[in-house]
Amino acid sequence: MPRYLFPTELGLCAIDWADSALTSFSLPPAIGAPFDETLPPTWLRPLIARVQLHLAGTPQDFSDVRFAFQRVTEFQRRVYLQTLAIRAGLTSTYGEISSALGLPPGASRAVAAALGANPWPLLIPCHRIIGANGKMTGFSGPGGIATKIRLLTLEGTQLI
């Protein structure tokens, strides 16, 4: 699978693709050789520019991205699609996602597990999901909760 690393205000991000879909995305610090010789296809270049804008403080909507959903379970796909509906500056809870999907009480742990395995952090905004009590909960991306707070702040989310 080709991988391309590119600079952003927060550091190097990486994007991976196959055919005409995005297979994964990595927040800084992305690992690999910067500016790989494998240039991204034309259809990915606008997405890279939008990520750069987003991480520079101009929130972008990534709901139109062609994600390789065939690489995740059907449950994960449903969770990710529901999470894509949460706009920059807003947050939701694991329980709210679970409820929106029509899942039984207690399924919020399964939602949290699906989001913890999100291969497209930032693009599928798992950082916008917080605990039911308003607490910042785990974030599987580099930097953990500190990165989550930084992303939410960049998006103009009121954290207090």
Side-chain angles (χ1 to χ4, degrees):
M1 228 174 319
R3 167 170 269 224
Y4 183 71
L5 274 71
F6 59 96
T8 71
E9 291 287 324
L10 299 184
L12 288 178
C13 286
I15 197 164
D16 301 274
W17 67 92
D19 301 318
S20 63
L22 192 65
T23 56
S24 70
F25 175 82
S26 300
L27 285 163
I31 299 170
F35 317 108
D36 289 346
E37 290 182 23
T38 302
L39 293 176
T42 305
W43 63 268
L44 270 181
R45 293 178 190 158
L47 174 60
I48 291 167
R50 287 169 42 206
V51 168
Q52 290 170 322
L53 283 170
H54 192 94
L55 294 178
T58 304
Q60 303 292 303
D61 176 8
F62 299 110
S63 61
D64 62 337
V65 172
R66 288 179 276 178
F67 296 102
F69 282 126
Q70 70 274 16
R71 296 176 159 267
V72 299
T73 68
E74 178 61 20
F75 177 75
Q76 289 171 319
R77 185 189 67 78
R78 289 180 60 218
V79 169
Y80 299 158
L81 288 172
Q82 186 65 42
T83 304
L84 273 170
I86 303 162
R87 298 293 167 232
L90 303 175
T91 59
S92 188
T93 68
Y94 300 100
E96 289 169 340
I97 298 288
S98 178
S99 179
L101 293 173
L103 300 172
S108 58
R109 288 180 191 256
V111 168
L115 291 171
N118 178 8
W120 306 284
L122 179 70
L123 306 181
I124 293 183
C126 55
H127 61 282
R128 296 180 188 151
I129 311 303
I130 60 175
N133 58 4
K135 280 190 169 183
M136 293 296 127
T137 55
F139 181 64
S140 60
I145 292 175
T147 298
K148 181 177 195 157
I149 292 169
R150 188 168 186 189
L151 293 173
L152 291 171
T153 302
L154 270 173
E155 296 175 353
T157 306
Q158 296 295 316
L159 299 177
I160 296 178

